[in-house]
Amino acid sequence: MSRTSLAVACGAVLRRDLTLAWRSRGDIAMPVLYALIVATLFPFALGPEDALLQRIAGGVVLVTVLLAMLLALDAMFRSDIEDGSLEQLVLAPQPLALMLGMKILAHWLTTALPLIVIAPLLAGMLHLPVPVMGVLMLALLLATPMLSLLGAVLVALTAGTRRSGMLLALMLLPLCVPVVIFAAGAVAAAQQGLPWVAPIAWLGAALVLALVLAPLACAAALRIALDA
Amino acid sequence: MSKWIPLWLHKLGSPPTFYRFAGTLRPWFLALALIAGAIGLYGGLVLAPADYQQGDAYRIIFIHVPSAWMGLFIYGVMAVASFIALVWRIKLAEAVAMESAPVGAAFTFITLVTGSLWGKPMWGTWWTWDARLTSELVLLFLYLGVIGLYHAFEDRRQGARAAAFLAIIGIINVPIVHFSVNWWNTLHQGSTVRILGPSRISMDMLWPLLTMMVATKLYYVASLFGRVRVDLLELEGGKDWVRRIATGEQAPGERA
């Protein structure tokens, strides 16, 4: 298989998924609205003291983004399974892991990127200091692709089941504990004026590992789930 | 002789053979587990001296620590069986992996409960976000995820394969969680609580602990054999050998 045909196939999958997402723009807005509402609930639940909100801001934004992504994950392969285009992708001569990587990229662009864009707003609502904002954005930029990749593997595993929403949370949350710890650790360290490079470097290393392994695992999981 | 063992192992992989094999051995394992458990508990709760620092409250260690060991050990067994199930698609390995999960989850749950019962008088709190406690909790969630995924499928074998895959992803995650949680904990405050610390344990306390460890292992094998037997019967529901057992007929090769 020539290199150009592979690139064309990747581009086609990416363009198709982005077009489909753009056709239903309302769905893209949902995780953003969800994150906004959850972040708004914290001051109501904990009281509006600036000092308290400032201390928890980084963690709250991270967990909120994680939950919003979790909600959107369930739909990652849903419509493709229903209309049978996922089987076509499995049967295609191109490597399945690469095609799924493109789908994960499209999902990240449509779900995580809007969340990252509004993250400063969420953090600002909770009085996160402006100098820390950069570290939070960096942590989110590294953490959200990890969640997309890990989530894609688990969504692929549940592809053969009817309802998977709650199950997905049960499976994903233990796996993303390290991601949350390192991302929140970087923000907390920056807030205390400590060096924050080490946790960011760990996140980056984990992301590289996930980028290589997760699409392969996703392809294997999908083959398990689809061959009934 | 050299050919006999692989042949026997090969035969053992077939459901009817394993069903009979497990049925014969299970009562022995269960009896040995009960005897070892009784000896271990008597040694731990009655014979062992009280701790110079913790008094009698430390005696929960004889339940707590063997359960904690089993929680991790069974996860390892489950992951290895899962790997075998995924690579060679052996029905028995799938059953072993999936029936290990509830036993492992139960031991992990016992560890968490006895740990919190022990924590209340010793540290004055039921729960603290200590590294060890948190990784144990994540381990329980991993077990629950595997069990949940297994039961989410209508087709049992497909569910077993998907859950086996999750178990393997989980075992990559166990050390990562362990170290990241340690790291997270030391950033905020030093881990002030130690369960045993570097203190050397006296022989009077060590032998009941080791006996309990053997007892929990034997109990796990007995429990696993029983569960796998039931699982195989359900899985092979329509097959001839199951029908023979159900109608009380003699299976071929079985001596009464």
Side-chain angles (χ1 to χ4, degrees), chain A residues 153-154 157-158 160-162 167 170-171 174-175 177-178 181-182 185 199 217 220-221 224-228, chain B residues 86 138 141-142 144-145 148-149 152-154 158 161-162 165-166 169 173 176-177 180-181 183-184 187:
Chain A
V153 179
L154 300 179
L157 272 181
T158 57
T161 64
R162 285 280 153 72
L167 184 62
L170 185 61
M171 296 191 312
L175 293 183
V177 164
I181 287 175
F182 285 118
I224 291 174
L226 286 185
D227 109 292
Chain B
L86 279 182
V138 172
F141 289 153
L142 282 170
L144 294 181
L149 186 61
F153 283 82
E154 273 165 31
Q158 199 189 356
R161 276 206 297 283
F165 199 79
L166 184 64
I169 299 176
N173 197 52
I176 298 178
V177 167
S180 63
V181 165
W183 186 89
W184 161 65
L187 181 78

mmCIF file of all heavy atoms in Angstrom, chain A residues 153-154 157-158 160-162 167 170-171 174-175 177-178 181-182 185 199 217 220-221 224-228, chain B residues 86 138 141-142 144-145 148-149 152-154 158 161-162 165-166 169 173 176-177 180-181 183-184 187:
data_model
loop_
_atom_site.group_PDB
_atom_site.id
_atom_site.type_symbol
_atom_site.label_atom_id
_atom_site.label_comp_id
_atom_site.label_asym_id
_atom_site.label_seq_id
_atom_site.Cartn_x
_atom_site.Cartn_y
_atom_site.Cartn_z
ATOM 1 N N VAL A 153 -10.240 3.173 24.109
ATOM 2 C CA VAL A 153 -10.029 1.737 24.295
ATOM 3 C C VAL A 153 -11.220 1.128 25.028
ATOM 4 O O VAL A 153 -11.731 0.066 24.639
ATOM 5 C CB VAL A 153 -8.721 1.488 25.088
ATOM 6 C CG1 VAL A 153 -8.525 0.009 25.309
ATOM 7 C CG2 VAL A 153 -7.539 2.077 24.364
ATOM 8 N N LEU A 154 -11.675 1.819 26.081
ATOM 9 C CA LEU A 154 -12.763 1.264 26.879
ATOM 10 C C LEU A 154 -14.089 1.320 26.124
ATOM 11 O O LEU A 154 -14.897 0.393 26.212
ATOM 12 C CB LEU A 154 -12.865 2.020 28.200
ATOM 13 C CG LEU A 154 -11.592 1.929 29.032
ATOM 14 C CD1 LEU A 154 -11.730 2.706 30.322
ATOM 15 C CD2 LEU A 154 -11.248 0.485 29.340
ATOM 16 N N LEU A 157 -14.203 -1.521 23.926
ATOM 17 C CA LEU A 157 -14.510 -2.768 24.644
ATOM 18 C C LEU A 157 -16.005 -2.927 24.876
ATOM 19 O O LEU A 157 -16.536 -4.032 24.849
ATOM 20 C CB LEU A 157 -13.794 -2.786 25.994
ATOM 21 C CG LEU A 157 -12.384 -3.333 26.031
ATOM 22 C CD1 LEU A 157 -11.859 -3.282 27.440
ATOM 23 C CD2 LEU A 157 -12.354 -4.764 25.525
ATOM 24 N N THR A 158 -16.690 -1.798 25.131
ATOM 25 C CA THR A 158 -18.124 -1.881 25.408
ATOM 26 C C THR A 158 -18.951 -1.764 24.133
ATOM 27 O O THR A 158 -20.175 -1.699 24.214
ATOM 28 C CB THR A 158 -18.566 -0.776 26.384
ATOM 29 O OG1 THR A 158 -18.202 0.486 25.821
ATOM 30 C CG2 THR A 158 -17.909 -0.935 27.730
ATOM 31 N N GLY A 160 -19.844 -3.808 22.013
ATOM 32 C CA GLY A 160 -20.788 -4.884 21.774
ATOM 33 C C GLY A 160 -21.966 -4.913 22.741
ATOM 34 O O GLY A 160 -22.817 -5.787 22.645
ATOM 35 N N THR A 161 -21.980 -3.981 23.698
ATOM 36 C CA THR A 161 -23.052 -4.014 24.706
ATOM 37 C C THR A 161 -24.113 -2.976 24.378
ATOM 38 O O THR A 161 -23.890 -2.052 23.612
ATOM 39 C CB THR A 161 -22.498 -3.731 26.104
ATOM 40 O OG1 THR A 161 -21.978 -2.406 26.106
ATOM 41 C CG2 THR A 161 -21.414 -4.705 26.460
ATOM 42 N N ARG A 162 -25.269 -3.150 25.009
ATOM 43 C CA ARG A 162 -26.373 -2.225 24.760
ATOM 44 C C ARG A 162 -26.132 -0.866 25.384
ATOM 45 O O ARG A 162 -25.973 0.135 24.728
ATOM 46 C CB ARG A 162 -27.674 -2.815 25.339
ATOM 47 C CG ARG A 162 -28.240 -3.922 24.540
ATOM 48 C CD ARG A 162 -29.016 -3.388 23.313
ATOM 49 N NE ARG A 162 -29.002 -4.372 22.244
ATOM 50 C CZ ARG A 162 -29.701 -5.504 22.276
ATOM 51 N NH1 ARG A 162 -30.480 -5.763 23.286
ATOM 52 N NH2 ARG A 162 -29.621 -6.354 21.295
ATOM 53 N N LEU A 167 -21.128 1.980 33.171
ATOM 54 C CA LEU A 167 -20.033 1.008 33.152
ATOM 55 C C LEU A 167 -18.740 1.681 32.711
ATOM 56 O O LEU A 167 -17.662 1.431 33.252
ATOM 57 C CB LEU A 167 -20.408 -0.128 32.201
ATOM 58 C CG LEU A 167 -19.431 -1.279 32.125
ATOM 59 C CD1 LEU A 167 -19.313 -1.930 33.477
ATOM 60 C CD2 LEU A 167 -19.895 -2.267 31.091
ATOM 61 N N LEU A 170 -17.160 3.468 35.511
ATOM 62 C CA LEU A 170 -16.543 2.516 36.442
ATOM 63 C C LEU A 170 -15.201 2.027 35.904
ATOM 64 O O LEU A 170 -14.256 1.820 36.655
ATOM 65 C CB LEU A 170 -17.503 1.335 36.654
ATOM 66 C CG LEU A 170 -17.081 0.296 37.676
ATOM 67 C CD1 LEU A 170 -16.950 0.914 39.035
ATOM 68 C CD2 LEU A 170 -18.067 -0.847 37.713
ATOM 69 N N MET A 171 -15.117 1.853 34.587
ATOM 70 C CA MET A 171 -13.877 1.328 34.017
ATOM 71 C C MET A 171 -12.835 2.422 33.835
ATOM 72 O O MET A 171 -11.652 2.202 34.029
ATOM 73 C CB MET A 171 -14.156 0.665 32.667
ATOM 74 C CG MET A 171 -15.061 -0.543 32.775
ATOM 75 S SD MET A 171 -15.132 -1.483 31.268
ATOM 76 C CE MET A 171 -15.424 -0.237 30.068
ATOM 77 N N PRO A 174 -10.793 4.451 37.435
ATOM 78 C CA PRO A 174 -9.557 3.930 38.043
ATOM 79 C C PRO A 174 -8.347 4.103 37.135
ATOM 80 O O PRO A 174 -7.248 4.361 37.605
ATOM 81 C CB PRO A 174 -9.839 2.442 38.256
ATOM 82 C CG PRO A 174 -11.282 2.258 38.062
ATOM 83 C CD PRO A 174 -11.806 3.401 37.289
ATOM 84 N N LEU A 175 -8.564 4.005 35.809
ATOM 85 C CA LEU A 175 -7.429 4.098 34.897
ATOM 86 C C LEU A 175 -6.901 5.520 34.797
ATOM 87 O O LEU A 175 -5.730 5.721 34.490
ATOM 88 C CB LEU A 175 -7.822 3.596 33.505
ATOM 89 C CG LEU A 175 -8.128 2.109 33.389
ATOM 90 C CD1 LEU A 175 -8.436 1.751 31.953
ATOM 91 C CD2 LEU A 175 -6.965 1.270 33.866
ATOM 92 N N VAL A 177 -6.842 7.758 37.263
ATOM 93 C CA VAL A 177 -6.361 8.312 38.536
ATOM 94 C C VAL A 177 -4.969 8.939 38.394
ATOM 95 O O VAL A 177 -4.757 10.078 38.819
ATOM 96 C CB VAL A 177 -6.386 7.226 39.638
ATOM 97 C CG1 VAL A 177 -5.539 7.633 40.830
ATOM 98 C CG2 VAL A 177 -7.808 6.955 40.085
ATOM 99 N N PRO A 178 -4.000 8.231 37.756
ATOM 100 C CA PRO A 178 -2.671 8.854 37.628
ATOM 101 C C PRO A 178 -2.703 10.161 36.833
ATOM 102 O O PRO A 178 -2.021 11.111 37.198
ATOM 103 C CB PRO A 178 -1.852 7.796 36.888
ATOM 104 C CG PRO A 178 -2.564 6.521 37.113
ATOM 105 C CD PRO A 178 -4.002 6.857 37.216
ATOM 106 N N ILE A 181 -3.941 12.862 39.061
ATOM 107 C CA ILE A 181 -2.971 13.187 40.110
ATOM 108 C C ILE A 181 -1.863 14.068 39.558
ATOM 109 O O ILE A 181 -1.509 15.097 40.147
ATOM 110 C CB ILE A 181 -2.396 11.892 40.715
ATOM 111 C CG1 ILE A 181 -3.436 11.223 41.594
ATOM 112 C CG2 ILE A 181 -1.147 12.200 41.530
ATOM 113 C CD1 ILE A 181 -2.996 9.886 42.131
ATOM 114 N N PHE A 182 -1.315 13.715 38.388
ATOM 115 C CA PHE A 182 -0.197 14.483 37.863
ATOM 116 C C PHE A 182 -0.649 15.848 37.359
ATOM 117 O O PHE A 182 0.029 16.851 37.586
ATOM 118 C CB PHE A 182 0.517 13.701 36.754
ATOM 119 C CG PHE A 182 1.365 12.591 37.293
ATOM 120 C CD1 PHE A 182 1.110 11.269 36.970
ATOM 121 C CD2 PHE A 182 2.399 12.870 38.164
ATOM 122 C CE1 PHE A 182 1.891 10.246 37.487
ATOM 123 C CE2 PHE A 182 3.175 11.858 38.690
ATOM 124 C CZ PHE A 182 2.920 10.546 38.349
ATOM 125 N N GLY A 185 -1.461 17.859 40.306
ATOM 126 C CA GLY A 185 -0.217 18.091 41.034
ATOM 127 C C GLY A 185 0.561 19.254 40.436
ATOM 128 O O GLY A 185 1.106 20.077 41.167
ATOM 129 N N PRO A 199 5.830 16.997 37.119
ATOM 130 C CA PRO A 199 4.567 16.318 36.788
ATOM 131 C C PRO A 199 4.145 16.514 35.341
ATOM 132 O O PRO A 199 3.583 15.603 34.727
ATOM 133 C CB PRO A 199 3.558 16.955 37.755
ATOM 134 C CG PRO A 199 4.213 18.140 38.336
ATOM 135 C CD PRO A 199 5.673 17.919 38.276
ATOM 136 N N ALA A 217 -4.362 -0.914 21.077
ATOM 137 C CA ALA A 217 -5.251 -1.561 22.040
ATOM 138 C C ALA A 217 -6.699 -1.362 21.636
ATOM 139 O O ALA A 217 -7.529 -2.262 21.761
ATOM 140 C CB ALA A 217 -5.002 -1.000 23.440
ATOM 141 N N ALA A 220 -7.568 -3.738 18.881
ATOM 142 C CA ALA A 220 -7.726 -5.100 19.401
ATOM 143 C C ALA A 220 -9.048 -5.230 20.154
ATOM 144 O O ALA A 220 -9.778 -6.218 19.996
ATOM 145 C CB ALA A 220 -6.556 -5.436 20.322
ATOM 146 N N ALA A 221 -9.370 -4.211 20.964
ATOM 147 C CA ALA A 221 -10.604 -4.245 21.751
ATOM 148 C C ALA A 221 -11.828 -4.260 20.838
ATOM 149 O O ALA A 221 -12.793 -4.983 21.081
ATOM 150 C CB ALA A 221 -10.659 -3.037 22.683
ATOM 151 N N ILE A 224 -12.406 -7.623 19.400
ATOM 152 C CA ILE A 224 -13.033 -8.515 20.391
ATOM 153 C C ILE A 224 -14.529 -8.229 20.475
ATOM 154 O O ILE A 224 -15.360 -9.130 20.482
ATOM 155 C CB ILE A 224 -12.384 -8.332 21.776
ATOM 156 C CG1 ILE A 224 -10.958 -8.858 21.776
ATOM 157 C CG2 ILE A 224 -13.204 -9.038 22.857
ATOM 158 C CD1 ILE A 224 -10.221 -8.566 23.057
ATOM 159 N N ALA A 225 -14.858 -6.929 20.536
ATOM 160 C CA ALA A 225 -16.249 -6.550 20.790
ATOM 161 C C ALA A 225 -17.134 -6.826 19.582
ATOM 162 O O ALA A 225 -18.319 -7.115 19.730
ATOM 163 C CB ALA A 225 -16.323 -5.078 21.176
ATOM 164 N N LEU A 226 -16.564 -6.725 18.382
ATOM 165 C CA LEU A 226 -17.413 -6.843 17.190
ATOM 166 C C LEU A 226 -17.594 -8.281 16.720
ATOM 167 O O LEU A 226 -18.580 -8.596 16.076
ATOM 168 C CB LEU A 226 -16.838 -6.000 16.051
ATOM 169 C CG LEU A 226 -17.025 -4.497 16.197
ATOM 170 C CD1 LEU A 226 -16.525 -3.787 14.960
ATOM 171 C CD2 LEU A 226 -18.476 -4.141 16.453
ATOM 172 N N ASP A 227 -16.597 -9.169 17.037
ATOM 173 C CA ASP A 227 -16.778 -10.525 16.523
ATOM 174 C C ASP A 227 -17.643 -11.332 17.478
ATOM 175 O O ASP A 227 -17.220 -11.823 18.500
ATOM 176 C CB ASP A 227 -15.411 -11.147 16.174
ATOM 177 C CG ASP A 227 -14.939 -12.240 17.094
ATOM 178 O OD1 ASP A 227 -14.634 -11.934 18.247
ATOM 179 O OD2 ASP A 227 -14.878 -13.372 16.647
ATOM 180 N N ALA A 228 -18.912 -11.323 17.199
ATOM 181 C CA ALA A 228 -19.888 -11.940 18.093
ATOM 182 C C ALA A 228 -20.026 -13.428 17.768
ATOM 183 O O ALA A 228 -19.806 -13.836 16.652
ATOM 184 C CB ALA A 228 -21.240 -11.262 17.958
ATOM 185 N N LEU B 86 -7.035 -14.795 26.003
ATOM 186 C CA LEU B 86 -7.059 -13.965 24.798
ATOM 187 C C LEU B 86 -6.193 -14.559 23.698
ATOM 188 O O LEU B 86 -6.542 -14.502 22.526
ATOM 189 C CB LEU B 86 -6.577 -12.553 25.126
ATOM 190 C CG LEU B 86 -7.603 -11.627 25.747
ATOM 191 C CD1 LEU B 86 -6.999 -10.259 25.961
ATOM 192 C CD2 LEU B 86 -8.833 -11.508 24.868
ATOM 193 N N VAL B 138 -8.561 1.766 44.530
ATOM 194 C CA VAL B 138 -8.538 1.743 43.061
ATOM 195 C C VAL B 138 -8.534 0.297 42.566
ATOM 196 O O VAL B 138 -9.185 -0.038 41.576
ATOM 197 C CB VAL B 138 -7.322 2.525 42.531
ATOM 198 C CG1 VAL B 138 -7.176 2.344 41.030
ATOM 199 C CG2 VAL B 138 -7.452 3.993 42.861
ATOM 200 N N PHE B 141 -11.969 -0.921 42.524
ATOM 201 C CA PHE B 141 -12.700 -0.382 41.372
ATOM 202 C C PHE B 141 -12.328 -1.134 40.095
ATOM 203 O O PHE B 141 -13.178 -1.379 39.237
ATOM 204 C CB PHE B 141 -12.420 1.115 41.204
ATOM 205 C CG PHE B 141 -13.058 1.966 42.254
ATOM 206 C CD1 PHE B 141 -12.517 3.190 42.604
ATOM 207 C CD2 PHE B 141 -14.192 1.541 42.921
ATOM 208 C CE1 PHE B 141 -13.096 3.974 43.581
ATOM 209 C CE2 PHE B 141 -14.782 2.312 43.897
ATOM 210 C CZ PHE B 141 -14.230 3.541 44.230
ATOM 211 N N LEU B 142 -11.035 -1.491 39.975
ATOM 212 C CA LEU B 142 -10.612 -2.242 38.787
ATOM 213 C C LEU B 142 -11.329 -3.586 38.722
ATOM 214 O O LEU B 142 -11.817 -4.003 37.671
ATOM 215 C CB LEU B 142 -9.100 -2.467 38.815
ATOM 216 C CG LEU B 142 -8.230 -1.279 38.405
ATOM 217 C CD1 LEU B 142 -6.774 -1.564 38.703
ATOM 218 C CD2 LEU B 142 -8.409 -0.974 36.934
ATOM 219 N N LEU B 144 -14.192 -4.288 40.092
ATOM 220 C CA LEU B 144 -15.612 -4.069 39.803
ATOM 221 C C LEU B 144 -15.818 -3.767 38.324
ATOM 222 O O LEU B 144 -16.820 -4.190 37.731
ATOM 223 C CB LEU B 144 -16.148 -2.930 40.676
ATOM 224 C CG LEU B 144 -16.183 -3.234 42.171
ATOM 225 C CD1 LEU B 144 -16.743 -2.059 42.944
ATOM 226 C CD2 LEU B 144 -17.006 -4.482 42.458
ATOM 227 N N GLY B 145 -14.869 -3.037 37.718
ATOM 228 C CA GLY B 145 -14.968 -2.765 36.289
ATOM 229 C C GLY B 145 -14.944 -4.047 35.474
ATOM 230 O O GLY B 145 -15.732 -4.222 34.547
ATOM 231 N N GLY B 148 -18.185 -5.888 36.030
ATOM 232 C CA GLY B 148 -19.272 -5.181 35.351
ATOM 233 C C GLY B 148 -19.251 -5.400 33.855
ATOM 234 O O GLY B 148 -20.286 -5.656 33.234
ATOM 235 N N LEU B 149 -18.055 -5.317 33.270
ATOM 236 C CA LEU B 149 -17.954 -5.495 31.815
ATOM 237 C C LEU B 149 -18.340 -6.915 31.417
ATOM 238 O O LEU B 149 -19.013 -7.134 30.415
ATOM 239 C CB LEU B 149 -16.522 -5.176 31.356
ATOM 240 C CG LEU B 149 -16.305 -5.178 29.844
ATOM 241 C CD1 LEU B 149 -17.186 -4.126 29.198
ATOM 242 C CD2 LEU B 149 -14.858 -4.922 29.493
ATOM 243 N N ALA B 152 -21.985 -7.229 31.221
ATOM 244 C CA ALA B 152 -22.690 -6.314 30.325
ATOM 245 C C ALA B 152 -22.994 -6.955 28.977
ATOM 246 O O ALA B 152 -23.829 -6.474 28.231
ATOM 247 C CB ALA B 152 -21.875 -5.038 30.128
ATOM 248 N N PHE B 153 -22.294 -8.054 28.672
ATOM 249 C CA PHE B 153 -22.499 -8.705 27.377
ATOM 250 C C PHE B 153 -23.555 -9.794 27.486
ATOM 251 O O PHE B 153 -23.674 -10.443 28.527
ATOM 252 C CB PHE B 153 -21.189 -9.338 26.891
ATOM 253 C CG PHE B 153 -20.218 -8.351 26.326
ATOM 254 C CD1 PHE B 153 -19.408 -7.619 27.167
ATOM 255 C CD2 PHE B 153 -20.129 -8.151 24.961
ATOM 256 C CE1 PHE B 153 -18.507 -6.701 26.640
ATOM 257 C CE2 PHE B 153 -19.227 -7.241 24.436
ATOM 258 C CZ PHE B 153 -18.424 -6.518 25.282
ATOM 259 N N GLU B 154 -24.290 -9.971 26.409
ATOM 260 C CA GLU B 154 -25.253 -11.066 26.412
ATOM 261 C C GLU B 154 -24.545 -12.388 26.155
ATOM 262 O O GLU B 154 -24.877 -13.407 26.746
ATOM 263 C CB GLU B 154 -26.319 -10.827 25.348
ATOM 264 C CG GLU B 154 -27.464 -9.983 25.881
ATOM 265 C CD GLU B 154 -28.318 -9.432 24.782
ATOM 266 O OE1 GLU B 154 -28.443 -10.093 23.740
ATOM 267 O OE2 GLU B 154 -28.866 -8.336 24.970
ATOM 268 N N GLN B 158 -17.933 -13.718 24.734
ATOM 269 C CA GLN B 158 -17.515 -12.407 24.239
ATOM 270 C C GLN B 158 -17.263 -11.473 25.420
ATOM 271 O O GLN B 158 -16.267 -10.739 25.444
ATOM 272 C CB GLN B 158 -18.615 -11.853 23.331
ATOM 273 C CG GLN B 158 -18.140 -10.765 22.412
ATOM 274 C CD GLN B 158 -19.300 -10.112 21.702
ATOM 275 O OE1 GLN B 158 -20.451 -10.535 21.847
ATOM 276 N NE2 GLN B 158 -19.002 -9.079 20.955
ATOM 277 N N ARG B 161 -13.981 -12.331 26.998
ATOM 278 C CA ARG B 161 -12.806 -11.835 26.272
ATOM 279 C C ARG B 161 -12.620 -10.333 26.481
ATOM 280 O O ARG B 161 -11.501 -9.863 26.701
ATOM 281 C CB ARG B 161 -12.932 -12.151 24.781
ATOM 282 C CG ARG B 161 -12.465 -13.545 24.429
ATOM 283 C CD ARG B 161 -12.011 -13.625 23.000
ATOM 284 N NE ARG B 161 -13.072 -13.346 22.071
ATOM 285 C CZ ARG B 161 -14.019 -14.221 21.763
ATOM 286 N NH1 ARG B 161 -14.021 -15.412 22.298
ATOM 287 N NH2 ARG B 161 -14.957 -13.902 20.895
ATOM 288 N N ALA B 162 -13.731 -9.571 26.427
ATOM 289 C CA ALA B 162 -13.628 -8.120 26.633
ATOM 290 C C ALA B 162 -13.126 -7.822 28.044
ATOM 291 O O ALA B 162 -12.228 -7.002 28.237
ATOM 292 C CB ALA B 162 -14.983 -7.460 26.395
ATOM 293 N N PHE B 165 -9.481 -8.501 28.467
ATOM 294 C CA PHE B 165 -8.679 -7.402 27.916
ATOM 295 C C PHE B 165 -8.556 -6.276 28.942
ATOM 296 O O PHE B 165 -7.482 -5.724 29.163
ATOM 297 C CB PHE B 165 -9.346 -6.896 26.628
ATOM 298 C CG PHE B 165 -8.437 -6.100 25.742
ATOM 299 C CD1 PHE B 165 -7.528 -6.736 24.922
ATOM 300 C CD2 PHE B 165 -8.490 -4.721 25.734
ATOM 301 C CE1 PHE B 165 -6.689 -6.001 24.101
ATOM 302 C CE2 PHE B 165 -7.654 -3.987 24.917
ATOM 303 C CZ PHE B 165 -6.749 -4.630 24.092
ATOM 304 N N LEU B 166 -9.686 -5.958 29.590
ATOM 305 C CA LEU B 166 -9.681 -4.900 30.607
ATOM 306 C C LEU B 166 -8.785 -5.282 31.783
ATOM 307 O O LEU B 166 -8.061 -4.435 32.325
ATOM 308 C CB LEU B 166 -11.112 -4.638 31.094
ATOM 309 C CG LEU B 166 -11.268 -3.502 32.089
ATOM 310 C CD1 LEU B 166 -10.886 -2.181 31.461
ATOM 311 C CD2 LEU B 166 -12.678 -3.439 32.623
ATOM 312 N N ILE B 169 -5.267 -4.506 30.781
ATOM 313 C CA ILE B 169 -5.004 -3.062 30.852
ATOM 314 C C ILE B 169 -4.844 -2.658 32.312
ATOM 315 O O ILE B 169 -3.988 -1.867 32.668
ATOM 316 C CB ILE B 169 -6.147 -2.256 30.201
ATOM 317 C CG1 ILE B 169 -6.295 -2.622 28.737
ATOM 318 C CG2 ILE B 169 -5.900 -0.763 30.340
ATOM 319 C CD1 ILE B 169 -7.463 -1.936 28.067
ATOM 320 N N ASN B 173 -1.884 -0.796 34.857
ATOM 321 C CA ASN B 173 -2.218 0.390 35.622
ATOM 322 C C ASN B 173 -1.893 0.254 37.106
ATOM 323 O O ASN B 173 -1.642 1.257 37.768
ATOM 324 C CB ASN B 173 -3.710 0.685 35.436
ATOM 325 C CG ASN B 173 -4.060 2.085 35.840
ATOM 326 O OD1 ASN B 173 -3.433 3.026 35.384
ATOM 327 N ND2 ASN B 173 -5.026 2.218 36.712
ATOM 328 N N ILE B 176 1.371 1.759 38.100
ATOM 329 C CA ILE B 176 1.338 3.205 37.816
ATOM 330 C C ILE B 176 0.555 3.923 38.910
ATOM 331 O O ILE B 176 0.992 4.934 39.452
ATOM 332 C CB ILE B 176 0.704 3.473 36.432
ATOM 333 C CG1 ILE B 176 1.537 2.812 35.338
ATOM 334 C CG2 ILE B 176 0.616 4.962 36.174
ATOM 335 C CD1 ILE B 176 0.958 2.972 33.955
ATOM 336 N N VAL B 177 -0.620 3.352 39.252
ATOM 337 C CA VAL B 177 -1.429 3.967 40.303
ATOM 338 C C VAL B 177 -0.652 3.974 41.606
ATOM 339 O O VAL B 177 -0.585 4.980 42.307
ATOM 340 C CB VAL B 177 -2.763 3.212 40.484
ATOM 341 C CG1 VAL B 177 -3.441 3.656 41.758
ATOM 342 C CG2 VAL B 177 -3.669 3.457 39.308
ATOM 343 N N SER B 180 2.074 6.682 41.436
ATOM 344 C CA SER B 180 1.563 8.045 41.329
ATOM 345 C C SER B 180 0.871 8.458 42.620
ATOM 346 O O SER B 180 0.986 9.600 43.060
ATOM 347 C CB SER B 180 0.601 8.166 40.143
ATOM 348 O OG SER B 180 -0.506 7.350 40.335
ATOM 349 N N VAL B 181 0.179 7.498 43.250
ATOM 350 C CA VAL B 181 -0.503 7.824 44.499
ATOM 351 C C VAL B 181 0.518 8.115 45.587
ATOM 352 O O VAL B 181 0.371 9.046 46.375
ATOM 353 C CB VAL B 181 -1.437 6.665 44.893
ATOM 354 C CG1 VAL B 181 -1.871 6.803 46.324
ATOM 355 C CG2 VAL B 181 -2.658 6.648 43.996
ATOM 356 N N TRP B 183 3.426 9.363 45.110
ATOM 357 C CA TRP B 183 3.989 10.655 44.757
ATOM 358 C C TRP B 183 3.053 11.780 45.177
ATOM 359 O O TRP B 183 3.453 12.782 45.762
ATOM 360 C CB TRP B 183 4.212 10.665 43.248
ATOM 361 C CG TRP B 183 4.912 11.865 42.735
ATOM 362 C CD1 TRP B 183 6.242 12.042 42.611
ATOM 363 C CD2 TRP B 183 4.303 13.055 42.273
ATOM 364 N NE1 TRP B 183 6.496 13.279 42.107
ATOM 365 C CE2 TRP B 183 5.332 13.924 41.892
ATOM 366 C CE3 TRP B 183 2.984 13.492 42.157
ATOM 367 C CZ2 TRP B 183 5.076 15.187 41.389
ATOM 368 C CZ3 TRP B 183 2.735 14.741 41.653
ATOM 369 C CH2 TRP B 183 3.786 15.578 41.277
ATOM 370 N N TRP B 184 1.761 11.572 44.869
ATOM 371 C CA TRP B 184 0.740 12.563 45.178
ATOM 372 C C TRP B 184 0.674 12.786 46.684
ATOM 373 O O TRP B 184 0.553 13.895 47.184
ATOM 374 C CB TRP B 184 -0.601 12.037 44.649
ATOM 375 C CG TRP B 184 -1.832 12.642 45.219
ATOM 376 C CD1 TRP B 184 -2.249 13.937 45.086
ATOM 377 C CD2 TRP B 184 -2.832 11.990 45.989
ATOM 378 N NE1 TRP B 184 -3.432 14.110 45.723
ATOM 379 C CE2 TRP B 184 -3.821 12.934 46.279
ATOM 380 C CE3 TRP B 184 -2.990 10.690 46.450
ATOM 381 C CZ2 TRP B 184 -4.953 12.614 47.019
ATOM 382 C CZ3 TRP B 184 -4.115 10.383 47.183
ATOM 383 C CH2 TRP B 184 -5.074 11.334 47.461
ATOM 384 N N LEU B 187 3.637 14.813 48.104
ATOM 385 C CA LEU B 187 3.659 16.235 47.776
ATOM 386 C C LEU B 187 2.932 17.027 48.856
ATOM 387 O O LEU B 187 3.378 18.070 49.285
ATOM 388 C CB LEU B 187 2.998 16.473 46.420
ATOM 389 C CG LEU B 187 3.017 17.944 45.993
ATOM 390 C CD1 LEU B 187 4.388 18.312 45.471
ATOM 391 C CD2 LEU B 187 1.972 18.216 44.941
#
